[in-house]
Amino acid sequence: MDCSIIIVNYNTKELTDACINSIIQYSKDIAYEIILVDNNSTDGSSLLFAERKDIKFIEASQNLGFGRANNLGAKQAKGKYLFFLNSDTLLLENSIKEMVAFFENNGESLKIGALGCILVDKNLEYNGCGSFLPTCASEIKRYKTVIPFLRKFNNVQDLVKPLDVTSFEVGYVIGADLMMRSSVFNSLGGFDSMFFMYYEESDLQKRMKDIGYKAWIYTKTKIIHLEDGSGKQVKNYNNRKRIIVHTSKNLYLKKNDAESFRKYVRWDRLFLMLNRFNKKYTKEENEEYIAEIKKTYL
């Protein structure tokens, strides 16, 4: 088995079905399996996918989140490579074969531990690929760009995207299309289960880099990602989502940059104080958000 493609579904039945169909349509001349982990969906997903004979269907008894569900799928994977693919993606070409071939041909020379490709939106415009591994210093610098009275004093440079080359190195590959050797993934113990969602791929690749591997983007194939890429600023998270994102960020920084975490917390508290007046959310939502994030400081 060349590649095990692992997809996590949570109430995205139509998107997931389209994703699976695009894999089957375009993936040729490569031995692969599709493993679908359903996070206890309530939209009829289990009725649809349990009947499919062209996938391996795993039904979780609860919503495990992104990392834990992928870990569950990886335990049953037989492929040399694992390809973690979001349910809201669509293949446009034989991307999986191309990525496996690039990994095979360049894995040792480039010390590839994680590989992604170029993500595009439904209009085929660039929609992300990877970014820098966050640190307390980088997040403090970013706060200085979003706090209005400090914005003019700082600029944060986004990831440079040299798309005219075959490949380039990044801090981490976005979790929407993350390919790894199964042996490396397993040696790292998979995704850290303390992350429900978000920052789990950054944490995994930080640990991967600590043992000498690198993260690369292969630019000669593209995959549609229907959600906004991580390079775009999402302006209207619902309250639960912004709590999860911020919580995961703080857990990541506390785990991976502990020496600077106290300094970061001072800036994070300022950011929270200003969010008390965030008019995009109700007063009750802002209070809930602040209370939940403060728990991550302990």
Side-chain angles (χ1 to χ4, degrees):
M1 184 72 66
D2 295 317
C3 187
S4 297
I5 304 154
I6 302 173
I7 303 167
V8 175
N9 173 64
Y10 180 64
N11 292 330
T12 55
K13 180 175 65 175
E14 289 80 11
L15 286 173
T16 301
D17 195 47
C19 175
I20 292 171
N21 292 336
S22 75
I23 294 169
I24 294 169
Q25 178 182 355
Y26 289 108
S27 300
K28 310 298 180 184
D29 303 317
I30 183 171
Y32 71 90
E33 62 179 351
I34 300 172
I35 300 173
L36 177 63
V37 181
D38 185 79
N39 262 338
N40 199 25
S41 295
T42 57
D43 64 347
S45 288
S46 61
L47 294 175
L48 173 65
F49 296 119
E51 296 298 318
R52 293 194 67 149
K53 306 301 182 185
D54 46 6
I55 66 173
K56 184 181 292 184
F57 181 62
I58 302 171
E59 193 169 9
S61 60
Q62 60 179 306
N63 185 357
L64 300 173
F66 182 80
R68 289 173 63 197
N70 274 308
N71 287 346
L72 187 62
K75 287 180 180 178
Q76 296 197 29
K78 298 177 181 177
K80 179 179 179 180
Y81 295 95
L82 304 177
F83 190 38
F84 302 101
L85 189 64
N86 265 28
S87 63
D88 59 351
T89 58
L90 293 168
L91 266 62
L92 296 165
E93 54 197 0
N94 201 352
S95 297
I96 296 170
K97 181 185 177 182
E98 286 197 42
M99 292 176 70
V100 167
F102 183 81
F103 219 136
E104 286 280 292
N105 295 330
N106 301 278
E108 290 190 14
S109 61
L110 297 180
K111 298 181 179 178
I112 301 175
L115 183 68
C117 71
I118 301 301
L119 298 176
V120 294
D121 62 20
K122 62 183 179 181
N123 298 315
L124 306 186
E125 297 293 329
Y126 176 81
N127 199 29
C129 62
S131 191
F132 303 106
L133 283 172
T135 63
C136 290
S138 70
E139 291 307 301
I140 290 171
K141 190 171 184 180
R142 192 168 295 279
Y143 275 153
K144 292 178 181 178
T145 71
V146 299
I147 296 174
F149 55 84
L150 295 174
R151 187 177 299 154
K152 65 180 180 180
F153 298 109
N154 286 278
N155 289 307
V156 175
Q157 297 299 317
D158 231 334
L159 174 71
V160 177
K161 303 175 285 292
L163 302 185
D164 57 337
V165 298
T166 299
S167 62
F168 60 94
E169 188 179 352
V170 290
Y172 72 93
V173 175
I174 290 174
D177 70 321
L178 172 61
M179 182 175 287
M180 297 184 71
R181 278 196 186 90
S182 58
S183 58
V184 173
F185 180 82
N186 292 332
S187 73
L188 293 167
F191 293 104
D192 189 330
S193 61
M194 81 170 178
F195 297 97
F196 180 78
M197 197 173 180
Y198 303 106
Y199 287 86
E200 62 281 289
E201 79 267 47
S202 301
D203 174 76
L204 177 67
Q205 291 172 74
K206 170 67 168 60
R207 290 184 281 126
M208 177 196 79
K209 291 195 165 195
D210 288 344
I211 61 173
Y213 290 101
K214 298 180 179 181
W216 287 83
I217 301 297
Y218 173 63
T219 67
K220 299 307 178 183
T221 193
K222 298 178 177 64
I223 293 175
I224 291 177
H225 186 205
L226 296 172
E227 189 181 51
D228 275 347
S230 66
K232 297 182 179 180
Q233 183 178 359
V234 180
K235 294 185 172 67
N236 290 304
Y237 284 157
N238 64 47
N239 202 46
R240 173 166 164 73
K241 185 171 181 178
R242 72 165 173 162
I243 289 171
I244 293 172
V245 172
H246 200 150
T247 295
S248 294
K249 179 180 74 169
N250 285 7
L251 291 175
Y252 172 88
L253 294 173
K254 184 160 56 173
K255 176 183 176 181
N256 292 291
D257 195 7
E259 291 185 0
S260 301
F261 187 68
R262 287 295 114 197
K263 182 178 180 181
Y264 160 79
V265 165
R266 292 197 291 270
W267 284 91
D268 204 46
R269 287 185 185 277
L270 174 60
F271 180 77
L272 288 182
M273 182 182 71
L274 295 174
N275 268 273
R276 193 177 299 275
F277 310 101
N278 191 334
K279 295 182 179 179
K280 296 176 185 176
Y281 303 90
T282 66
K283 178 182 177 182
E284 292 74 19
E285 286 176 327
N286 285 330
E287 292 298 328
E288 180 189 15
Y289 171 57
I290 292 167
E292 288 298 315
I293 301 310
K294 283 183 176 180
K295 294 177 184 178
T296 66
Y297 303 153
L298 303 176

